[in-house]
PDB file of all heavy atoms in Angstrom:
ATOM      1  N   GLY A   1      -4.723  -4.608  -4.086  1.00  0.00           N
ATOM      2  CA  GLY A   1      -4.188  -4.630  -5.463  1.00  0.00           C
ATOM      3  C   GLY A   1      -5.154  -5.196  -6.528  1.00  0.00           C
ATOM      4  O   GLY A   1      -4.906  -5.067  -7.693  1.00  0.00           O
ATOM      5  N   GLY A   2      -6.293  -5.759  -6.058  1.00  0.00           N
ATOM      6  CA  GLY A   2      -7.297  -6.341  -6.948  1.00  0.00           C
ATOM      7  C   GLY A   2      -8.198  -5.202  -7.510  1.00  0.00           C
ATOM      8  O   GLY A   2      -8.081  -4.075  -7.177  1.00  0.00           O
ATOM      9  N   SER A   3      -9.240  -5.750  -8.215  1.00  0.00           N
ATOM     10  CA  SER A   3     -10.156  -4.858  -8.892  1.00  0.00           C
ATOM     11  C   SER A   3     -11.526  -5.313  -8.671  1.00  0.00           C
ATOM     12  O   SER A   3     -11.813  -6.500  -8.535  1.00  0.00           O
ATOM     13  CB  SER A   3      -9.898  -4.755 -10.449  1.00  0.00           C
ATOM     14  OG  SER A   3      -8.576  -4.320 -10.644  1.00  0.00           O
ATOM     15  N   LEU A   4     -12.503  -4.318  -8.697  1.00  0.00           N
ATOM     16  CA  LEU A   4     -13.906  -4.607  -8.649  1.00  0.00           C
ATOM     17  C   LEU A   4     -14.556  -3.537  -9.619  1.00  0.00           C
ATOM     18  O   LEU A   4     -14.106  -2.376  -9.713  1.00  0.00           O
ATOM     19  CB  LEU A   4     -14.473  -4.435  -7.265  1.00  0.00           C
ATOM     20  CG  LEU A   4     -14.311  -5.629  -6.306  1.00  0.00           C
ATOM     21  CD1 LEU A   4     -14.872  -5.222  -4.943  1.00  0.00           C
ATOM     22  CD2 LEU A   4     -14.964  -6.887  -6.809  1.00  0.00           C
ATOM     23  N   ARG A   5     -15.759  -3.957 -10.172  1.00  0.00           N
ATOM     24  CA  ARG A   5     -16.597  -2.994 -10.874  1.00  0.00           C
ATOM     25  C   ARG A   5     -17.942  -2.948 -10.168  1.00  0.00           C
ATOM     26  O   ARG A   5     -18.641  -3.979 -10.104  1.00  0.00           O
ATOM     27  CB  ARG A   5     -16.747  -3.379 -12.290  1.00  0.00           C
ATOM     28  CG  ARG A   5     -17.617  -2.397 -13.108  1.00  0.00           C
ATOM     29  CD  ARG A   5     -17.668  -2.659 -14.596  1.00  0.00           C
ATOM     30  NE  ARG A   5     -16.362  -2.369 -15.181  1.00  0.00           N
ATOM     31  CZ  ARG A   5     -16.187  -2.403 -16.593  1.00  0.00           C
ATOM     32  NH1 ARG A   5     -17.096  -2.814 -17.315  1.00  0.00           N
ATOM     33  NH2 ARG A   5     -14.962  -2.115 -17.024  1.00  0.00           N
ATOM     34  N   LEU A   6     -18.344  -1.797  -9.792  1.00  0.00           N
ATOM     35  CA  LEU A   6     -19.680  -1.560  -9.182  1.00  0.00           C
ATOM     36  C   LEU A   6     -20.579  -1.025 -10.322  1.00  0.00           C
ATOM     37  O   LEU A   6     -20.212  -0.295 -11.185  1.00  0.00           O
ATOM     38  CB  LEU A   6     -19.645  -0.595  -8.139  1.00  0.00           C
ATOM     39  CG  LEU A   6     -18.705  -0.785  -6.927  1.00  0.00           C
ATOM     40  CD1 LEU A   6     -18.786   0.222  -5.874  1.00  0.00           C
ATOM     41  CD2 LEU A   6     -18.851  -2.236  -6.349  1.00  0.00           C
ATOM     42  N   SER A   7     -21.905  -1.446 -10.163  1.00  0.00           N
ATOM     43  CA  SER A   7     -22.838  -0.915 -11.170  1.00  0.00           C
ATOM     44  C   SER A   7     -24.077  -0.436 -10.413  1.00  0.00           C
ATOM     45  O   SER A   7     -24.472  -0.965  -9.353  1.00  0.00           O
ATOM     46  CB  SER A   7     -23.229  -2.025 -12.121  1.00  0.00           C
ATOM     47  OG  SER A   7     -24.157  -1.578 -13.140  1.00  0.00           O
ATOM     48  N   CYS A   8     -24.816   0.479 -11.009  1.00  0.00           N
ATOM     49  CA  CYS A   8     -25.976   1.118 -10.385  1.00  0.00           C
ATOM     50  C   CYS A   8     -27.015   1.298 -11.568  1.00  0.00           C
ATOM     51  O   CYS A   8     -26.623   2.003 -12.573  1.00  0.00           O
ATOM     52  CB  CYS A   8     -25.715   2.391  -9.664  1.00  0.00           C
ATOM     53  SG  CYS A   8     -27.110   3.288  -9.128  1.00  0.00           S
ATOM     54  N   THR A   9     -28.249   0.894 -11.340  1.00  0.00           N
ATOM     55  CA  THR A   9     -29.321   1.096 -12.372  1.00  0.00           C
ATOM     56  C   THR A   9     -30.481   1.866 -11.688  1.00  0.00           C
ATOM     57  O   THR A   9     -30.932   1.450 -10.609  1.00  0.00           O
ATOM     58  CB  THR A   9     -29.747  -0.276 -12.846  1.00  0.00           C
ATOM     59  OG1 THR A   9     -28.707  -1.004 -13.473  1.00  0.00           O
ATOM     60  CG2 THR A   9     -30.905  -0.052 -13.901  1.00  0.00           C
ATOM     61  N   ALA A  10     -30.922   2.901 -12.346  1.00  0.00           N
ATOM     62  CA  ALA A  10     -32.036   3.683 -11.988  1.00  0.00           C
ATOM     63  C   ALA A  10     -33.309   3.251 -12.726  1.00  0.00           C
ATOM     64  O   ALA A  10     -33.238   2.962 -13.884  1.00  0.00           O
ATOM     65  CB  ALA A  10     -31.758   5.184 -12.229  1.00  0.00           C
ATOM     66  N   SER A  11     -34.411   3.162 -11.981  1.00  0.00           N
ATOM     67  CA  SER A  11     -35.662   2.705 -12.563  1.00  0.00           C
ATOM     68  C   SER A  11     -36.770   3.494 -11.967  1.00  0.00           C
ATOM     69  O   SER A  11     -36.580   4.128 -10.881  1.00  0.00           O
ATOM     70  CB  SER A  11     -35.874   1.264 -12.371  1.00  0.00           C
ATOM     71  OG  SER A  11     -35.969   0.924 -10.983  1.00  0.00           O
ATOM     72  N   GLY A  12     -37.954   3.464 -12.632  1.00  0.00           N
ATOM     73  CA  GLY A  12     -39.130   4.142 -12.137  1.00  0.00           C
ATOM     74  C   GLY A  12     -39.511   5.233 -13.129  1.00  0.00           C
ATOM     75  O   GLY A  12     -39.258   5.163 -14.303  1.00  0.00           O
ATOM     76  N   ILE A  13     -40.207   6.298 -12.639  1.00  0.00           N
ATOM     77  CA  ILE A  13     -40.646   7.372 -13.406  1.00  0.00           C
ATOM     78  C   ILE A  13     -39.484   8.369 -13.532  1.00  0.00           C
ATOM     79  O   ILE A  13     -39.224   9.127 -12.678  1.00  0.00           O
ATOM     80  CB  ILE A  13     -41.894   8.097 -12.888  1.00  0.00           C
ATOM     81  CG1 ILE A  13     -42.985   7.105 -12.660  1.00  0.00           C
ATOM     82  CG2 ILE A  13     -42.402   9.161 -13.840  1.00  0.00           C
ATOM     83  CD1 ILE A  13     -43.396   6.333 -13.871  1.00  0.00           C
ATOM     84  N   ILE A  14     -38.803   8.306 -14.702  1.00  0.00           N
ATOM     85  CA  ILE A  14     -37.571   9.021 -14.927  1.00  0.00           C
ATOM     86  C   ILE A  14     -37.704   9.845 -16.215  1.00  0.00           C
ATOM     87  O   ILE A  14     -37.845   9.239 -17.276  1.00  0.00           O
ATOM     88  CB  ILE A  14     -36.334   8.176 -14.991  1.00  0.00           C
ATOM     89  CG1 ILE A  14     -36.140   7.503 -13.585  1.00  0.00           C
ATOM     90  CG2 ILE A  14     -35.076   9.103 -15.340  1.00  0.00           C
ATOM     91  CD1 ILE A  14     -35.046   6.516 -13.637  1.00  0.00           C
ATOM     92  N   SER A  15     -37.595  11.177 -16.136  1.00  0.00           N
ATOM     93  CA  SER A  15     -37.530  11.967 -17.397  1.00  0.00           C
ATOM     94  C   SER A  15     -36.041  12.121 -17.848  1.00  0.00           C
ATOM     95  O   SER A  15     -35.796  11.966 -19.031  1.00  0.00           O
ATOM     96  CB  SER A  15     -38.147  13.353 -17.183  1.00  0.00           C
ATOM     97  OG  SER A  15     -38.039  14.181 -18.294  1.00  0.00           O
ATOM     98  N   SER A  16     -35.205  12.497 -16.804  1.00  0.00           N
ATOM     99  CA  SER A  16     -33.786  12.618 -17.213  1.00  0.00           C
ATOM    100  C   SER A  16     -33.010  12.570 -15.936  1.00  0.00           C
ATOM    101  O   SER A  16     -33.503  12.715 -14.855  1.00  0.00           O
ATOM    102  CB  SER A  16     -33.442  13.908 -17.930  1.00  0.00           C
ATOM    103  OG  SER A  16     -33.768  15.085 -17.088  1.00  0.00           O
ATOM    104  N   ILE A  17     -31.741  12.192 -16.061  1.00  0.00           N
ATOM    105  CA  ILE A  17     -30.808  12.141 -14.926  1.00  0.00           C
ATOM    106  C   ILE A  17     -29.642  13.048 -15.190  1.00  0.00           C
ATOM    107  O   ILE A  17     -28.951  13.006 -16.212  1.00  0.00           O
ATOM    108  CB  ILE A  17     -30.239  10.709 -14.712  1.00  0.00           C
ATOM    109  CG1 ILE A  17     -31.316   9.696 -14.511  1.00  0.00           C
ATOM    110  CG2 ILE A  17     -29.318  10.667 -13.508  1.00  0.00           C
ATOM    111  CD1 ILE A  17     -30.928   8.268 -14.388  1.00  0.00           C
ATOM    112  N   ASP A  18     -29.393  14.015 -14.256  1.00  0.00           N
ATOM    113  CA  ASP A  18     -28.285  14.946 -14.392  1.00  0.00           C
ATOM    114  C   ASP A  18     -27.061  14.354 -13.895  1.00  0.00           C
ATOM    115  O   ASP A  18     -26.511  13.389 -14.424  1.00  0.00           O
ATOM    116  CB  ASP A  18     -28.658  16.230 -13.802  1.00  0.00           C
ATOM    117  CG  ASP A  18     -29.921  16.961 -14.323  1.00  0.00           C
ATOM    118  OD1 ASP A  18     -30.084  16.737 -15.584  1.00  0.00           O
ATOM    119  OD2 ASP A  18     -30.710  17.624 -13.604  1.00  0.00           O
ATOM    120  N   VAL A  19     -26.462  14.909 -12.799  1.00  0.00           N
ATOM    121  CA  VAL A  19     -25.249  14.425 -12.268  1.00  0.00           C
ATOM    122  C   VAL A  19     -25.555  13.024 -11.496  1.00  0.00           C
ATOM    123  O   VAL A  19     -26.535  12.809 -10.837  1.00  0.00           O
ATOM    124  CB  VAL A  19     -24.649  15.384 -11.181  1.00  0.00           C
ATOM    125  CG1 VAL A  19     -23.418  14.708 -10.508  1.00  0.00           C
ATOM    126  CG2 VAL A  19     -24.240  16.617 -11.833  1.00  0.00           C
ATOM    127  N   MET A  20     -24.620  11.995 -11.750  1.00  0.00           N
ATOM    128  CA  MET A  20     -24.626  10.766 -11.001  1.00  0.00           C
ATOM    129  C   MET A  20     -23.293  10.673 -10.289  1.00  0.00           C
ATOM    130  O   MET A  20     -22.289  11.181 -10.760  1.00  0.00           O
ATOM    131  CB  MET A  20     -24.774   9.652 -11.992  1.00  0.00           C
ATOM    132  CG  MET A  20     -26.037   9.704 -12.732  1.00  0.00           C
ATOM    133  SD  MET A  20     -26.468   8.125 -13.717  1.00  0.00           S
ATOM    134  CE  MET A  20     -27.106   7.093 -12.297  1.00  0.00           C
ATOM    135  N   ALA A  21     -23.314   9.950  -9.178  1.00  0.00           N
ATOM    136  CA  ALA A  21     -22.139   9.939  -8.333  1.00  0.00           C
ATOM    137  C   ALA A  21     -22.071   8.674  -7.487  1.00  0.00           C
ATOM    138  O   ALA A  21     -23.025   8.019  -7.313  1.00  0.00           O
ATOM    139  CB  ALA A  21     -22.050  11.149  -7.436  1.00  0.00           C
ATOM    140  N   TRP A  22     -20.890   8.282  -7.095  1.00  0.00           N
ATOM    141  CA  TRP A  22     -20.668   7.288  -6.051  1.00  0.00           C
ATOM    142  C   TRP A  22     -20.080   7.855  -4.776  1.00  0.00           C
ATOM    143  O   TRP A  22     -19.108   8.726  -4.882  1.00  0.00           O
ATOM    144  CB  TRP A  22     -19.618   6.250  -6.670  1.00  0.00           C
ATOM    145  CG  TRP A  22     -20.217   5.342  -7.625  1.00  0.00           C
ATOM    146  CD1 TRP A  22     -20.101   5.529  -8.959  1.00  0.00           C
ATOM    147  CD2 TRP A  22     -20.930   4.169  -7.510  1.00  0.00           C
ATOM    148  NE1 TRP A  22     -20.812   4.449  -9.682  1.00  0.00           N
ATOM    149  CE2 TRP A  22     -21.335   3.612  -8.695  1.00  0.00           C
ATOM    150  CE3 TRP A  22     -21.395   3.438  -6.340  1.00  0.00           C
ATOM    151  CZ2 TRP A  22     -22.087   2.460  -8.875  1.00  0.00           C
ATOM    152  CZ3 TRP A  22     -22.124   2.340  -6.481  1.00  0.00           C
ATOM    153  CH2 TRP A  22     -22.511   1.778  -7.727  1.00  0.00           C
ATOM    154  N   TYR A  23     -20.667   7.435  -3.683  1.00  0.00           N
ATOM    155  CA  TYR A  23     -20.316   7.849  -2.338  1.00  0.00           C
ATOM    156  C   TYR A  23     -19.787   6.572  -1.584  1.00  0.00           C
ATOM    157  O   TYR A  23     -20.131   5.502  -2.038  1.00  0.00           O
ATOM    158  CB  TYR A  23     -21.298   8.565  -1.563  1.00  0.00           C
ATOM    159  CG  TYR A  23     -21.645   9.934  -2.046  1.00  0.00           C
ATOM    160  CD1 TYR A  23     -22.317  10.150  -3.312  1.00  0.00           C
ATOM    161  CD2 TYR A  23     -21.269  11.089  -1.314  1.00  0.00           C
ATOM    162  CE1 TYR A  23     -22.659  11.408  -3.653  1.00  0.00           C
ATOM    163  CE2 TYR A  23     -21.501  12.362  -1.720  1.00  0.00           C
ATOM    164  CZ  TYR A  23     -22.171  12.490  -2.940  1.00  0.00           C
ATOM    165  OH  TYR A  23     -22.507  13.789  -3.383  1.00  0.00           O
ATOM    166  N   ARG A  24     -19.026   6.751  -0.593  1.00  0.00           N
ATOM    167  CA  ARG A  24     -18.751   5.590   0.289  1.00  0.00           C
ATOM    168  C   ARG A  24     -18.649   6.026   1.727  1.00  0.00           C
ATOM    169  O   ARG A  24     -18.475   7.214   2.060  1.00  0.00           O
ATOM    170  CB  ARG A  24     -17.402   4.977  -0.138  1.00  0.00           C
ATOM    171  CG  ARG A  24     -16.195   5.856   0.130  1.00  0.00           C
ATOM    172  CD  ARG A  24     -14.937   5.148  -0.375  1.00  0.00           C
ATOM    173  NE  ARG A  24     -13.717   5.906  -0.149  1.00  0.00           N
ATOM    174  CZ  ARG A  24     -12.531   5.623  -0.628  1.00  0.00           C
ATOM    175  NH1 ARG A  24     -12.332   4.467  -1.372  1.00  0.00           N
ATOM    176  NH2 ARG A  24     -11.503   6.336  -0.341  1.00  0.00           N
ATOM    177  N   GLN A  25     -18.871   5.023   2.652  1.00  0.00           N
ATOM    178  CA  GLN A  25     -18.809   5.271   4.141  1.00  0.00           C
ATOM    179  C   GLN A  25     -18.032   4.146   4.687  1.00  0.00           C
ATOM    180  O   GLN A  25     -18.610   3.030   4.725  1.00  0.00           O
ATOM    181  CB  GLN A  25     -20.186   5.433   4.747  1.00  0.00           C
ATOM    182  CG  GLN A  25     -20.240   5.791   6.183  1.00  0.00           C
ATOM    183  CD  GLN A  25     -21.544   6.243   6.673  1.00  0.00           C
ATOM    184  OE1 GLN A  25     -22.558   5.979   6.025  1.00  0.00           O
ATOM    185  NE2 GLN A  25     -21.482   6.855   7.799  1.00  0.00           N
ATOM    186  N   GLY A  26     -16.866   4.398   5.167  1.00  0.00           N
ATOM    187  CA  GLY A  26     -16.045   3.396   5.867  1.00  0.00           C
ATOM    188  C   GLY A  26     -16.434   3.333   7.290  1.00  0.00           C
ATOM    189  O   GLY A  26     -17.143   4.132   7.813  1.00  0.00           O
ATOM    190  N   PRO A  27     -15.858   2.309   7.930  1.00  0.00           N
ATOM    191  CA  PRO A  27     -16.204   2.051   9.394  1.00  0.00           C
ATOM    192  C   PRO A  27     -15.734   3.284  10.229  1.00  0.00           C
ATOM    193  O   PRO A  27     -14.651   3.786  10.198  1.00  0.00           O
ATOM    194  CB  PRO A  27     -15.356   0.874   9.716  1.00  0.00           C
ATOM    195  CG  PRO A  27     -15.057   0.155   8.511  1.00  0.00           C
ATOM    196  CD  PRO A  27     -15.012   1.258   7.510  1.00  0.00           C
ATOM    197  N   GLY A  28     -16.702   3.856  10.988  1.00  0.00           N
ATOM    198  CA  GLY A  28     -16.432   5.005  11.856  1.00  0.00           C
ATOM    199  C   GLY A  28     -16.169   6.211  11.099  1.00  0.00           C
ATOM    200  O   GLY A  28     -15.722   7.214  11.737  1.00  0.00           O
ATOM    201  N   LYS A  29     -16.533   6.311   9.809  1.00  0.00           N
ATOM    202  CA  LYS A  29     -16.274   7.571   9.073  1.00  0.00           C
ATOM    203  C   LYS A  29     -17.520   8.070   8.465  1.00  0.00           C
ATOM    204  O   LYS A  29     -18.620   7.451   8.446  1.00  0.00           O
ATOM    205  CB  LYS A  29     -15.374   7.219   7.909  1.00  0.00           C
ATOM    206  CG  LYS A  29     -13.916   6.757   8.332  1.00  0.00           C
ATOM    207  CD  LYS A  29     -12.961   6.547   7.164  1.00  0.00           C
ATOM    208  CE  LYS A  29     -11.719   6.182   7.595  1.00  0.00           C
ATOM    209  NZ  LYS A  29     -10.763   5.934   6.454  1.00  0.00           N
ATOM    210  N   GLU A  30     -17.482   9.387   8.031  1.00  0.00           N
ATOM    211  CA  GLU A  30     -18.653  10.057   7.410  1.00  0.00           C
ATOM    212  C   GLU A  30     -18.633   9.632   5.899  1.00  0.00           C
ATOM    213  O   GLU A  30     -17.660   9.221   5.333  1.00  0.00           O
ATOM    214  CB  GLU A  30     -18.476  11.529   7.555  1.00  0.00           C
ATOM    215  CG  GLU A  30     -18.656  12.082   8.923  1.00  0.00           C
ATOM    216  CD  GLU A  30     -19.964  11.856   9.582  1.00  0.00           C
ATOM    217  OE1 GLU A  30     -20.956  11.998   8.815  1.00  0.00           O
ATOM    218  OE2 GLU A  30     -20.030  11.490  10.797  1.00  0.00           O
ATOM    219  N   ARG A  31     -19.914   9.642   5.346  1.00  0.00           N
ATOM    220  CA  ARG A  31     -20.021   9.423   3.944  1.00  0.00           C
ATOM    221  C   ARG A  31     -19.228  10.432   3.092  1.00  0.00           C
ATOM    222  O   ARG A  31     -19.382  11.657   3.439  1.00  0.00           O
ATOM    223  CB  ARG A  31     -21.483   9.336   3.600  1.00  0.00           C
ATOM    224  CG  ARG A  31     -21.759   8.958   2.220  1.00  0.00           C
ATOM    225  CD  ARG A  31     -23.232   8.761   1.944  1.00  0.00           C
ATOM    226  NE  ARG A  31     -23.756   7.726   2.783  1.00  0.00           N
ATOM    227  CZ  ARG A  31     -25.099   7.317   2.683  1.00  0.00           C
ATOM    228  NH1 ARG A  31     -25.785   7.721   1.791  1.00  0.00           N
ATOM    229  NH2 ARG A  31     -25.499   6.428   3.551  1.00  0.00           N
ATOM    230  N   GLU A  32     -18.503  10.048   2.157  1.00  0.00           N
ATOM    231  CA  GLU A  32     -17.773  10.918   1.306  1.00  0.00           C
ATOM    232  C   GLU A  32     -17.986  10.651  -0.165  1.00  0.00           C
ATOM    233  O   GLU A  32     -18.227   9.493  -0.555  1.00  0.00           O
ATOM    234  CB  GLU A  32     -16.289  10.839   1.627  1.00  0.00           C
ATOM    235  CG  GLU A  32     -15.671   9.490   1.298  1.00  0.00           C
ATOM    236  CD  GLU A  32     -14.149   9.478   1.411  1.00  0.00           C
ATOM    237  OE1 GLU A  32     -13.558  10.493   1.630  1.00  0.00           O
ATOM    238  OE2 GLU A  32     -13.568   8.283   1.453  1.00  0.00           O
ATOM    239  N   MET A  33     -17.836  11.693  -1.010  1.00  0.00           N
ATOM    240  CA  MET A  33     -17.983  11.580  -2.436  1.00  0.00           C
ATOM    241  C   MET A  33     -16.675  10.872  -2.996  1.00  0.00           C
ATOM    242  O   MET A  33     -15.554  11.394  -2.670  1.00  0.00           O
ATOM    243  CB  MET A  33     -18.209  12.902  -3.057  1.00  0.00           C
ATOM    244  CG  MET A  33     -18.556  12.876  -4.601  1.00  0.00           C
ATOM    245  SD  MET A  33     -17.217  12.701  -5.723  1.00  0.00           S
ATOM    246  CE  MET A  33     -16.434  14.267  -5.577  1.00  0.00           C
ATOM    247  N   VAL A  34     -16.883   9.899  -3.864  1.00  0.00           N
ATOM    248  CA  VAL A  34     -15.719   9.176  -4.408  1.00  0.00           C
ATOM    249  C   VAL A  34     -15.537   9.659  -5.842  1.00  0.00           C
ATOM    250  O   VAL A  34     -14.448  10.001  -6.244  1.00  0.00           O
ATOM    251  CB  VAL A  34     -15.950   7.644  -4.488  1.00  0.00           C
ATOM    252  CG1 VAL A  34     -14.880   7.020  -5.169  1.00  0.00           C
ATOM    253  CG2 VAL A  34     -16.087   7.183  -2.986  1.00  0.00           C
ATOM    254  N   ALA A  35     -16.594   9.763  -6.572  1.00  0.00           N
ATOM    255  CA  ALA A  35     -16.556  10.170  -8.064  1.00  0.00           C
ATOM    256  C   ALA A  35     -17.911  10.604  -8.503  1.00  0.00           C
ATOM    257  O   ALA A  35     -18.941  10.148  -8.024  1.00  0.00           O
ATOM    258  CB  ALA A  35     -16.072   9.013  -8.911  1.00  0.00           C
ATOM    259  N   GLN A  36     -17.976  11.522  -9.437  1.00  0.00           N
ATOM    260  CA  GLN A  36     -19.183  11.996  -9.977  1.00  0.00           C
ATOM    261  C   GLN A  36     -19.040  12.256 -11.525  1.00  0.00           C
ATOM    262  O   GLN A  36     -17.883  12.557 -11.952  1.00  0.00           O
ATOM    263  CB  GLN A  36     -19.771  13.196  -9.285  1.00  0.00           C
ATOM    264  CG  GLN A  36     -18.923  14.470  -9.406  1.00  0.00           C
ATOM    265  CD  GLN A  36     -19.422  15.628  -8.659  1.00  0.00           C
ATOM    266  OE1 GLN A  36     -20.035  15.461  -7.543  1.00  0.00           O
ATOM    267  NE2 GLN A  36     -19.243  16.866  -9.137  1.00  0.00           N
ATOM    268  N   ILE A  37     -20.160  12.108 -12.193  1.00  0.00           N
ATOM    269  CA  ILE A  37     -20.135  12.321 -13.556  1.00  0.00           C
ATOM    270  C   ILE A  37     -21.351  13.124 -14.045  1.00  0.00           C
ATOM    271  O   ILE A  37     -22.439  12.740 -13.643  1.00  0.00           O
ATOM    272  CB  ILE A  37     -19.957  10.983 -14.330  1.00  0.00           C
ATOM    273  CG1 ILE A  37     -19.929  11.123 -15.887  1.00  0.00           C
ATOM    274  CG2 ILE A  37     -21.034  10.028 -13.952  1.00  0.00           C
ATOM    275  CD1 ILE A  37     -19.501   9.884 -16.600  1.00  0.00           C
ATOM    276  N   GLN A  38     -21.112  14.188 -14.884  1.00  0.00           N
ATOM    277  CA  GLN A  38     -22.175  14.929 -15.422  1.00  0.00           C
ATOM    278  C   GLN A  38     -22.758  14.194 -16.590  1.00  0.00           C
ATOM    279  O   GLN A  38     -22.280  13.243 -17.139  1.00  0.00           O
ATOM    280  CB  GLN A  38     -21.770  16.328 -15.765  1.00  0.00           C
ATOM    281  CG  GLN A  38     -21.216  17.123 -14.544  1.00  0.00           C
ATOM    282  CD  GLN A  38     -20.696  18.447 -14.913  1.00  0.00           C
ATOM    283  OE1 GLN A  38     -20.878  18.969 -16.019  1.00  0.00           O
ATOM    284  NE2 GLN A  38     -19.993  19.137 -14.022  1.00  0.00           N
ATOM    285  N   ARG A  39     -23.971  14.701 -17.080  1.00  0.00           N
ATOM    286  CA  ARG A  39     -24.715  13.997 -18.099  1.00  0.00           C
ATOM    287  C   ARG A  39     -23.902  13.820 -19.341  1.00  0.00           C
ATOM    288  O   ARG A  39     -24.045  12.812 -20.024  1.00  0.00           O
ATOM    289  CB  ARG A  39     -25.979  14.830 -18.419  1.00  0.00           C
ATOM    290  CG  ARG A  39     -26.826  14.114 -19.496  1.00  0.00           C
ATOM    291  CD  ARG A  39     -28.262  14.755 -19.554  1.00  0.00           C
ATOM    292  NE  ARG A  39     -28.943  14.175 -20.669  1.00  0.00           N
ATOM    293  CZ  ARG A  39     -29.685  13.017 -20.475  1.00  0.00           C
ATOM    294  NH1 ARG A  39     -29.565  12.405 -19.356  1.00  0.00           N
ATOM    295  NH2 ARG A  39     -30.349  12.509 -21.510  1.00  0.00           N
ATOM    296  N   LEU A  40     -23.126  14.857 -19.717  1.00  0.00           N
ATOM    297  CA  LEU A  40     -22.403  14.699 -20.918  1.00  0.00           C
ATOM    298  C   LEU A  40     -20.921  14.150 -20.749  1.00  0.00           C
ATOM    299  O   LEU A  40     -20.168  14.142 -21.690  1.00  0.00           O
ATOM    300  CB  LEU A  40     -22.245  16.146 -21.676  1.00  0.00           C
ATOM    301  CG  LEU A  40     -23.606  16.698 -22.071  1.00  0.00           C
ATOM    302  CD1 LEU A  40     -23.403  18.036 -22.749  1.00  0.00           C
ATOM    303  CD2 LEU A  40     -24.301  15.680 -23.060  1.00  0.00           C
ATOM    304  N   GLY A  41     -20.614  13.701 -19.547  1.00  0.00           N
ATOM    305  CA  GLY A  41     -19.448  12.901 -19.343  1.00  0.00           C
ATOM    306  C   GLY A  41     -18.262  13.640 -18.439  1.00  0.00           C
ATOM    307  O   GLY A  41     -17.306  12.894 -18.242  1.00  0.00           O
ATOM    308  N   MET A  42     -18.379  14.796 -18.112  1.00  0.00           N
ATOM    309  CA  MET A  42     -17.391  15.517 -17.311  1.00  0.00           C
ATOM    310  C   MET A  42     -17.351  14.820 -15.952  1.00  0.00           C
ATOM    311  O   MET A  42     -18.382  14.626 -15.256  1.00  0.00           O
ATOM    312  CB  MET A  42     -17.673  16.927 -17.159  1.00  0.00           C
ATOM    313  CG  MET A  42     -16.565  17.686 -16.338  1.00  0.00           C
ATOM    314  SD  MET A  42     -15.017  17.768 -17.206  1.00  0.00           S
ATOM    315  CE  MET A  42     -15.445  19.076 -18.496  1.00  0.00           C
ATOM    316  N   THR A  43     -16.122  14.357 -15.520  1.00  0.00           N
ATOM    317  CA  THR A  43     -15.931  13.645 -14.298  1.00  0.00           C
ATOM    318  C   THR A  43     -15.139  14.368 -13.268  1.00  0.00           C
ATOM    319  O   THR A  43     -14.273  15.299 -13.515  1.00  0.00           O
ATOM    320  CB  THR A  43     -15.259  12.297 -14.527  1.00  0.00           C
ATOM    321  OG1 THR A  43     -13.935  12.583 -15.158  1.00  0.00           O
ATOM    322  CG2 THR A  43     -16.066  11.488 -15.472  1.00  0.00           C
ATOM    323  N   THR A  44     -15.361  14.058 -12.003  1.00  0.00           N
ATOM    324  CA  THR A  44     -14.682  14.513 -10.796  1.00  0.00           C
ATOM    325  C   THR A  44     -14.352  13.386  -9.828  1.00  0.00           C
ATOM    326  O   THR A  44     -15.229  12.518  -9.681  1.00  0.00           O
ATOM    327  CB  THR A  44     -15.438  15.593 -10.095  1.00  0.00           C
ATOM    328  OG1 THR A  44     -15.762  16.650 -11.014  1.00  0.00           O
ATOM    329  CG2 THR A  44     -14.585  16.209  -8.954  1.00  0.00           C
ATOM    330  N   TYR A  45     -13.127  13.362  -9.362  1.00  0.00           N
ATOM    331  CA  TYR A  45     -12.730  12.240  -8.493  1.00  0.00           C
ATOM    332  C   TYR A  45     -12.206  12.773  -7.128  1.00  0.00           C
ATOM    333  O   TYR A  45     -11.544  13.845  -7.088  1.00  0.00           O
ATOM    334  CB  TYR A  45     -11.638  11.445  -9.110  1.00  0.00           C
ATOM    335  CG  TYR A  45     -12.107  10.677 -10.317  1.00  0.00           C
ATOM    336  CD1 TYR A  45     -11.969  11.222 -11.538  1.00  0.00           C
ATOM    337  CD2 TYR A  45     -12.724   9.402 -10.209  1.00  0.00           C
ATOM    338  CE1 TYR A  45     -12.371  10.563 -12.681  1.00  0.00           C
ATOM    339  CE2 TYR A  45     -13.158   8.755 -11.348  1.00  0.00           C
ATOM    340  CZ  TYR A  45     -13.004   9.318 -12.638  1.00  0.00           C
ATOM    341  OH  TYR A  45     -13.407   8.626 -13.715  1.00  0.00           O
TER     342      TYR A  45
END
């Protein structure tokens, strides 16, 4: 029932970033897509 906020920062030689996403991998499970966001803000969950 609680909340958390995760953050991710990209650094290095970067011209532009297109799609960004969060994935997760639980115990004994495969990695899965949680959420993604396109450059102009369109999201998928």
Side-chain angles (χ1 to χ4, degrees):
S3 298
L4 282 175
R5 178 175 290 187
L6 307 182
S7 182
C8 171
T9 299
S11 62
I13 306 301
I14 298 173
S15 178
S16 64
I17 304 177
D18 297 328
V19 175
M20 302 189 78
W22 287 95
Y23 289 73
R24 68 185 181 187
Q25 186 168 16
K29 298 182 178 180
E30 296 294 319
R31 189 173 299 187
E32 65 174 346
M33 192 276 292
V34 177
Q36 62 183 36
I37 182 167
Q38 298 177 13
R39 181 171 179 80
L40 296 182
M42 183 69 72
T43 58
T44 303
Y45 297 92

